[in-house]
Amino acid sequence: MVAARWLQAYHDGVAAPVVLAATHRRALDTIPLAVLRQHAVDVPPDLSSLE
């Protein structure tokens, strides 16, 4: 399960950023929302800036 691996990375201090709008609700079965919010990022409106 991806959420379990993400939580493991969180506990190891290397959790990836999270786009909350793209995160499935069932992730909350494994990861507290407060923890996800600590790593939340927004997707920029102009995706070309990511290249």
Side-chain angles (χ1 to χ4, degrees), residues 14-43:
V14 293
V18 174
V19 177
L20 289 178
T23 301
H24 196 280
R25 172 183 281 204
R26 288 193 58 200
L28 297 175
D29 294 343
T30 305
I31 308 165
L33 181 56
V35 171
L36 289 174
R37 284 186 173 151
Q38 291 173 11
H39 295 276
V41 296
D42 288 329
V43 176

Side-chain angles (χ1 to χ4, degrees), residues 1-2 4 8 13 15-16 18-19 21-23 29-30 34 36 46 49-51:
M1 170 182 255
V2 173
Q8 180 182 11
V18 174
V19 177
T23 301
D29 294 343
T30 305
L36 289 174
D46 180 9
S49 67
L50 299 175
E51 297 179 323

